[in-house]
Amino acid sequence: MTGTAALAGVAAVSTQAKEIPSRRADYMDVRENGTLQIFALTDRAFRVRFSPGTAPLTTAPDRILLPQEQQPRAQTQTADGKVRLRLPGIICDIDLTDGHLTFLDGKSNVLVSELPDGRRLEASKLGDEDVFIAEQAFDSPPDERIFGTGCFQDGALDIRQLPRRLTQVNTQISLPFLLSSRGYGLMWLNEGRSDVNPPARRVQLARVDTEKQGQVVDVTTGAGNAQLTRTEAEFRGEIHVDAPGRYAFQLDIGRKMASRHFVEIDGKVYSDLSNLWLPPTTSFLAELEPGPHTLTVRANADDSPSISYDKAEDRTVWRSDVAEAIDYVVIAGPDASDIMADYRQLTGAAPILPKWAYGYIHCRERFKSAQEILDTAHEFRQRQLPVDVMVQDWQYWGKHGWNAMRFDETQYPDPAGLVTALHGLDMRFMLSVWSKVDRKAELGKAMASKGFYIPDSDWIDFFNPAAAAFYWQNQSTRLAALGIDAWWQDATEPENDDLVGRQTHAGKGEHVRLSYPLQVSRTVYEGQRRDFPDRRVFILTRSAFPGQQRYGAATWSGDIGNDWETLKRQIPAGLNMAAAGYPYWTVDAGGFFRPGPSQYSDSAYHERFIRWFQYATFLPLQRVHGYMTDTEFWRYGEAVENVARDYLNLRYRLFPYIYSLGAMANRRGMPLLRPLVFDFRSDEKALDQVHSFMFGPAFLVAPVTAPDATTWPVYLPQSPGGWFDLWTGAHRAGGETHLVSSPLSQIPLHARAGTILPLGPEVQSTADITGQVMDIVIFPGQDGHLELYEDDGLTYSYEAGAYSLIPLSWSENSKELIIGARTGRFDGMAKEKQLRIRLAAEGHSPLSQAPDLAVTYTGRPLRIRLGE
């Protein structure tokens, strides 16, 4: 791709600093307590802004929403005390009596309503600065399910009535977006800390007992590895409730990070999770009888825990304590695919990652030399364990200082040579780079001399365009020029919510504390697009904010533990990332904090590790990581290595399907990982499933999350034609819970009837994938469709149309597979494909079943009859 085309591509996505084009509101109502404005954004989305004062305003500058070249105008009519704003896919009714809003779909079905008197904009202070507390309450009927807000460790998937505090910390990613089963999405436009359903009452707990001896633990910190002594204590308090029913609770540990979330009410445990790093808050719902109740919290002895609580009401409340206005967007569906398409239009498309990013990513904490990396890479190849990316974690900078953007030559004498050697093995190299720089390092001194630090911290002020440009200039010339392929931009929360009380280029940190990770990703993405235009950007970062997906940034769930409870909680955490519109998320498979040296011989940990890795195979990115751990599969013995090899091979065979999902995320906004509300919104029992999910439209995945399982209960949603077991070929009905065989070698995995599944051959790297030979497996029972997407996998030529699409359709009635004409082309495209086609059949594994026939596809249409 030419440099001109590359820069044009950057211009198409580099819009964060621009304003929404100024235009008058589609509706404006100036009232004594403020000004209500409603703007039509797309055919199915309205933006609502209620600001103090009475002066008419145009839309405000925004770092979240992209400019829309063609914004529709709503049709307006007034009748029966209401003003109705109508767009093709959404209606907004304004009650002229009190100004509250009701949103309906294009067929006039109510989606969501503001509660009367549910709007509050209260003057407040942030130091000497005038700010507002912005709060908006919406109705939420009992049959509604609500998803989203990002990656949380509380274990909840449906968050209706649940309090959540949106802060950015290690193991928590906050995205202010909700997806409703009623067919709408709601984005809260505020970059500061926000609360969903904040409880009104609060009780401070008193310490009543302390351990006599603390526990020494190894932890990661912003300055490297460290040992801390943690002493646990018990805290108690009492509350009194007047009425029976459901109550919402939120524990606040009273400091920036927690290590224990444990709450009992009257001796019953409602929350129990331990890890070396946990968010400062967690929440749960509890049914209580009237009268007094004793609260017990176990936490660090130097914590100061409090619990907020309130009666759980049929409403959803958003609140930001530092705001300029109430500001939100409602997107009408009815289906999640409709909502995600508009979310993509409003906040930006996720680029297709380089094809090697969809392969296996190998990480540990940490490689200590270039030779160690190369020895490990050769061992992977010798053992025929597929891998695409080797990752160098932190501290490779050694004597040069924290994140000095230099390798310590003692152990890394030739970094460019290391990259070249890995490329020779068909592997890529990812490098950890932080958003903080040691002030004593050469680079840090230069940063300080230019005033590019956030005051009183080591964090670079990425809100300052000059600071961001200087940061990237150094990352580009010192590191990217070595040929490094991918960036692990670590700790971009920034760590421990560290903007609080600090001044940034964009104002006080409280205004922008959620959006720092977006600025970091934007800096790296735009810089690489400019300096290395033919090299697709791939960023792995620990935090995110709406719009960040447009900068080639994937996230993961942070420094989690390894136990069964932690594994279980990652499933809804990831699904709520997807429900909040973020397509690329993963985990440290096996857990980051591990059992130590015993992990290599402990059969109980081996079982957990296998179940973790099976789950990771069906995430957008497949990777392992582990603290103070050599994470290579062979170190755990032959049994673990063999199962891992099987799942690596399966991941690579699924590449044509996974890569097409990546294109779907780019072109339509649909995430790869999906809670069941995406595909089965009308199936109430499907909406109850917290620990199973769809991987694209084809697969229902139900990870095993408990030890010693040989069978596992799996609810298969209502779907015409039922489901097929990927391991045995067994056909199972939808709308039922099945007890499915789940030996340690198998994760419960089902394909939906109507699925057309492309499978590639077993390979050792995505570099070996040519697309010339492919299996096509049809799962009969209903009509199906697949759009097989291919491009060169490495450059941005696809943005200029260099890709191909092959439509495949299955007709259940005629038992025909119709392969349509290929459209488009790209450099290196296989002119012919050898397709081995088979119809899934009871009693045969669809993954290994012999083909029914083979055909040569040249790009011209084919009709193939099967099943006779």
Side-chain angles (χ1 to χ4, degrees), residues 166-324:
L166 273 63
T167 54
Q168 308 288 33
V169 293
N170 191 347
T171 73
Q172 179 171 296
I173 303 169
S174 294
L175 302 171
F177 183 88
L178 296 177
L179 177 70
S180 169
S181 62
R182 289 172 63 83
Y184 69 88
L186 193 150
M187 180 162 38
W188 184 252
L189 297 177
N190 190 290
E191 297 175 55
R193 192 189 87 181
S194 296
D195 286 274
V196 179
N197 302 324
R201 292 182 276 181
R202 177 177 173 272
V203 59
Q204 186 71 39
L205 305 183
R207 188 168 62 195
V208 296
D209 190 27
T210 304
E211 286 182 350
K212 292 183 180 179
Q213 185 173 349
Q215 179 184 10
V216 178
V217 294
D218 292 301
V219 299
T220 54
T221 73
N225 307 85
Q227 284 193 331
L228 299 177
T229 300
R230 287 183 170 167
T231 302
E232 193 167 274
E234 189 171 284
F235 301 80
R236 284 188 193 153
E238 188 172 278
I239 62 172
H240 190 284
V241 301
D242 297 327
R246 175 175 289 185
Y247 286 79
F249 289 84
Q250 184 171 75
L251 168 68
D252 186 336
I253 214 67
R255 59 192 300 179
K256 288 188 172 182
M257 293 294 292
S259 60
R260 186 84 187 270
H261 289 162
F262 180 93
V263 185
E264 284 181 348
I265 303 179
D266 302 330
K268 181 179 178 180
V269 176
Y270 284 88
S271 178
D272 188 4
L273 181 66
S274 296
N275 187 42
L276 297 178
W277 299 124
L278 285 173
T281 59
T282 194
S283 305
F284 58 91
L285 300 169
E287 298 287 339
L288 297 182
E289 294 297 323
H293 298 276
T294 300
L295 309 178
T296 302
V297 168
R298 295 176 191 163
N300 287 327
D302 53 356
D303 289 344
S304 182
S306 63
I307 288 183
S308 299
Y309 68 101
D310 216 341
K311 191 81 186 318
E313 304 287 352
D314 292 335
R315 61 181 185 173
T316 299
V317 179
W318 280 95
R319 186 177 74 198
S320 296
D321 289 339
V322 178
E324 297 175 354

Side-chain angles (χ1 to χ4, degrees), residues 401-403 436-445 453 458:
W402 192 275
N403 196 43
K436 63 190 297 184
V437 180
D438 186 346
R439 287 175 176 266
K440 297 178 183 178
E442 170 207 358
L443 178 57
K445 291 176 182 177
Y453 281 104
D458 289 336

